[in-house]
Amino acid sequence: MNTATSLSARNTKVMNRFDLTSRLIRKLEHEEAVIGGIGNTNFDLWAAGHRPQNFYMLGSMGLAFPIALGVALAQPKRRIFALEGDGSLLMQLGSLSTIATLAPKNLTMVVMDNGVYQITGAQPTPAAAVADIVAIAVACGLVNSAWAADEEDFERLIDQSMSATGPTLIGVRIDDKPGVGTTRRDPVQIRERFMHGMGVREPL
Ligand SMILES: Cc1ncc(C[n+]2csc(CCOP(=O)(O)OP(=O)(O)O)c2C)c(N)n1
């Protein structure tokens, strides 16, 4: 894979969160889990098409990857995807070294880097100026980490992650558009549907 040393965020195409999320969802054929982080990542996941295997994090920043880690460890035969904003990940950086240590090979993480806390008013994040998320991930031990150069490269990296021997992190530079949908705010229903989607609960 390309790493931060061969491709920096500055050289990548600015893409769109909803388009990339839709591209990911179109690839899924095996009841893969997809965990959306707070706000825009789960709004676009919802808008890309609700599936019982989708989990939508409603209130706290930085929990998409930790939740996805738990699901990946609990269900090692299932592929788990997690979508997180750059601001949220920067609030929970310790999760990267934990994931690198536990190293579930069935986990693919996507960081949607718009360089802003878009949903609270587009204040700049440290990723806008100084912090390179992929370089941070590599330094945490996530060696399968790369910036996607464009949409085709994103799809290639997703495909490649499905047969990787360790966890994968894909950084994507995105525009400052808000999410296109709004997830129905019902935490109990979200949890129960997801548990059913994971095959560990009877349907509601
Ligand atoms: C622990 C915590 N701190 C602050 C907030 C308020 N908050 C909600 S979303 C958000 C910004 C998220 O930014 P990012 O993850 O980069 O996603 P974006 O909005 O850019 O898509 C903030 C500050 C929160 N919900 N939880």
Coordinates of all heavy atoms in Angstrom, one line a residue, residues 145-177:
S145 N -2.0 1.6 6.0 CA -2.7 2.8 6.1 C -2.3 3.6 4.8 O -1.1 3.7 4.5 CB -2.3 3.6 7.3 OG -2.7 3.0 8.5
A146 N -3.2 4.3 4.2 CA -2.9 5.0 3.0 C -3.9 6.1 2.7 O -5.1 6.0 3.1 CB -2.9 4.0 1.8
W147 N -3.5 7.2 2.1 CA -4.4 8.1 1.5 C -5.0 7.6 0.2 O -4.2 7.1 -0.6 CB -3.8 9.5 1.3 CG -3.5 10.2 2.6 CD1 -2.2 10.4 3.2 CD2 -4.4 10.9 3.4 NE1 -2.4 11.1 4.4 CE2 -3.7 11.4 4.5 CE3 -5.8 11.1 3.3 CZ2 -4.3 12.2 5.5 CZ3 -6.4 11.8 4.3 CH2 -5.7 12.4 5.4
A148 N -6.3 7.8 0.0 CA -6.8 7.4 -1.4 C -6.6 8.6 -2.3 O -7.0 9.8 -2.0 CB -8.3 7.1 -1.2
A149 N -6.0 8.4 -3.4 CA -5.7 9.5 -4.4 C -6.9 10.0 -5.0 O -7.0 11.2 -5.3 CB -4.7 9.0 -5.4
D150 N -7.9 9.1 -5.3 CA -9.1 9.5 -6.0 C -10.2 8.4 -5.7 O -9.9 7.5 -5.0 CB -8.9 9.8 -7.5 CG -8.3 8.6 -8.2 OD1 -8.4 7.5 -7.7 OD2 -7.7 8.8 -9.3
E151 N -11.3 8.5 -6.4 CA -12.4 7.6 -6.1 C -12.0 6.1 -6.5 O -12.3 5.2 -5.8 CB -13.7 8.0 -6.8 CG -14.4 9.2 -6.3 CD -13.9 10.5 -6.8 OE1 -12.8 10.5 -7.5 OE2 -14.4 11.6 -6.5
E152 N -11.3 6.0 -7.7 CA -10.9 4.7 -8.1 C -9.9 4.1 -7.1 O -10.0 2.9 -6.8 CB -10.2 4.8 -9.5 CG -11.2 4.7 -10.6 CD -10.5 4.8 -11.9 OE1 -9.3 4.4 -12.1 OE2 -11.2 5.2 -12.9
D153 N -9.0 4.9 -6.6 CA -8.0 4.4 -5.7 C -8.7 4.0 -4.4 O -8.4 3.0 -3.8 CB -7.0 5.5 -5.4 CG -5.8 5.0 -4.8 OD1 -5.3 3.9 -5.1 OD2 -5.2 5.8 -3.9
F154 N -9.7 4.8 -4.0 CA -10.5 4.4 -2.8 C -11.1 3.0 -2.9 O -11.0 2.2 -2.0 CB -11.6 5.5 -2.6 CG -12.6 5.1 -1.5 CD1 -12.3 5.2 -0.1 CD2 -13.9 4.7 -1.8 CE1 -13.2 4.9 0.9 CE2 -14.8 4.4 -0.8 CZ -14.4 4.4 0.5
E155 N -11.7 2.8 -4.1 CA -12.4 1.5 -4.3 C -11.3 0.4 -4.3 O -11.6 -0.7 -3.8 CB -13.2 1.5 -5.6 CG -14.4 2.5 -5.5 CD -15.5 2.1 -6.5 OE1 -15.6 0.9 -6.9 OE2 -16.3 3.0 -6.8
R156 N -10.2 0.7 -4.9 CA -9.1 -0.3 -4.9 C -8.6 -0.6 -3.5 O -8.4 -1.8 -3.1 CB -7.9 0.2 -5.8 CG -6.8 -0.7 -6.0 CD -5.6 -0.1 -6.7 NE -5.0 1.0 -6.0 CZ -4.2 0.8 -5.0 NH1 -3.8 -0.4 -4.6 NH2 -3.7 1.9 -4.3
L157 N -8.5 0.4 -2.7 CA -8.0 0.2 -1.3 C -9.1 -0.6 -0.5 O -8.7 -1.4 0.3 CB -7.7 1.5 -0.6 CG -6.5 2.3 -1.2 CD1 -6.4 3.7 -0.7 CD2 -5.2 1.5 -0.8
I158 N -10.3 -0.3 -0.7 CA -11.4 -1.0 -0.1 C -11.3 -2.5 -0.4 O -11.3 -3.4 0.4 CB -12.8 -0.5 -0.4 CG1 -13.0 0.9 0.2 CG2 -13.9 -1.5 0.0 CD1 -13.3 0.9 1.7
D159 N -11.2 -2.8 -1.8 CA -11.1 -4.2 -2.2 C -9.9 -4.9 -1.6 O -10.0 -6.0 -1.1 CB -11.0 -4.2 -3.8 CG -12.3 -3.8 -4.5 OD1 -13.3 -3.8 -3.8 OD2 -12.2 -3.5 -5.7
Q160 N -8.8 -4.2 -1.6 CA -7.5 -4.7 -1.1 C -7.7 -5.1 0.4 O -7.1 -6.1 0.9 CB -6.4 -3.7 -1.3 CG -5.0 -4.2 -1.3 CD -4.1 -3.0 -1.7 OE1 -4.1 -2.5 -2.8 NE2 -3.2 -2.6 -0.8
S161 N -8.4 -4.2 1.1 CA -8.5 -4.4 2.6 C -9.3 -5.7 2.9 O -9.1 -6.3 4.0 CB -9.3 -3.2 3.2 OG -10.7 -3.3 3.0
M162 N -10.1 -6.2 2.0 CA -10.9 -7.3 2.2 C -10.1 -8.6 2.4 O -10.5 -9.6 2.9 CB -12.0 -7.5 1.2 CG -12.9 -6.3 1.0 SD -14.6 -6.6 0.9 CE -15.2 -5.2 0.0
S163 N -8.9 -8.6 1.8 CA -8.1 -9.8 1.9 C -6.7 -9.5 2.7 O -5.8 -10.2 2.5 CB -7.8 -10.4 0.6 OG -7.3 -9.4 -0.3
A164 N -6.7 -8.3 3.4 CA -5.5 -7.9 4.1 C -5.2 -8.9 5.3 O -6.1 -9.5 5.8 CB -5.6 -6.5 4.6
T165 N -4.0 -8.9 5.7 CA -3.6 -9.8 6.8 C -3.7 -9.0 8.1 O -3.3 -9.6 9.2 CB -2.2 -10.3 6.6 OG1 -1.3 -9.2 6.3 CG2 -2.2 -11.3 5.4
G166 N -4.0 -7.7 8.1 CA -4.2 -7.0 9.3 C -5.2 -5.8 9.1 O -5.7 -5.7 8.0
P167 N -5.5 -5.0 10.1 CA -6.4 -3.9 9.9 C -5.9 -2.9 8.9 O -4.7 -2.7 8.7 CB -6.5 -3.3 11.3 CG -5.3 -3.8 12.1 CD -4.9 -5.1 11.5
T168 N -6.9 -2.3 8.2 CA -6.6 -1.3 7.2 C -7.2 0.0 7.6 O -8.3 0.1 8.1 CB -7.2 -1.8 5.8 OG1 -6.6 -3.0 5.4 CG2 -7.0 -0.7 4.7
L169 N -6.4 1.1 7.3 CA -7.0 2.5 7.5 C -6.8 3.2 6.2 O -5.7 3.2 5.6 CB -6.3 3.2 8.6 CG -6.9 4.6 8.9 CD1 -6.9 4.9 10.4 CD2 -6.1 5.7 8.2
I170 N -7.9 3.8 5.7 CA -7.9 4.6 4.4 C -8.3 6.0 4.8 O -9.3 6.3 5.3 CB -8.9 4.0 3.4 CG1 -8.6 2.5 3.2 CG2 -8.9 4.8 2.1 CD1 -9.7 1.8 2.4
G171 N -7.4 6.9 4.4 CA -7.7 8.4 4.6 C -8.2 8.9 3.3 O -7.7 8.6 2.2
V172 N -9.3 9.7 3.4 CA -9.9 10.3 2.2 C -10.0 11.8 2.5 O -10.5 12.2 3.5 CB -11.2 9.7 1.7 CG1 -11.0 8.3 1.2 CG2 -12.3 9.7 2.8
R173 N -9.6 12.6 1.5 CA -9.8 14.1 1.7 C -11.1 14.4 1.1 O -11.4 14.0 -0.1 CB -8.7 14.8 1.0 CG -8.5 16.2 1.5 CD -7.0 16.7 1.4 NE -6.6 16.6 0.0 CZ -6.5 17.7 -0.8 NH1 -6.7 18.9 -0.3 NH2 -6.1 17.6 -2.1
I174 N -12.0 15.1 1.8 CA -13.3 15.3 1.3 C -13.6 16.8 1.4 O -13.0 17.6 2.1 CB -14.4 14.5 2.1 CG1 -14.4 14.9 3.6 CG2 -14.3 13.0 1.9 CD1 -15.7 14.5 4.3
D175 N -14.7 17.2 0.7 CA -15.2 18.6 0.7 C -15.9 18.9 2.0 O -16.0 18.1 2.9 CB -16.1 18.9 -0.5 CG -17.3 18.0 -0.6 OD1 -17.8 17.7 0.5 OD2 -17.7 17.6 -1.6
D176 N -16.4 20.1 2.1 CA -17.0 20.6 3.4 C -18.5 20.5 3.4 O -19.2 21.1 4.2 CB -16.5 22.0 3.7 CG -17.0 23.0 2.6 OD1 -17.6 22.6 1.6 OD2 -16.8 24.2 2.8
K177 N -19.1 19.6 2.5 CA -20.5 19.5 2.4 C -21.0 18.8 3.7 O -20.4 17.8 4.2 CB -20.9 18.7 1.2 CG -20.5 19.3 -0.1 CD -21.5 20.3 -0.6 CE -21.2 20.9 -2.0 NZ -19.8 21.4 -2.1

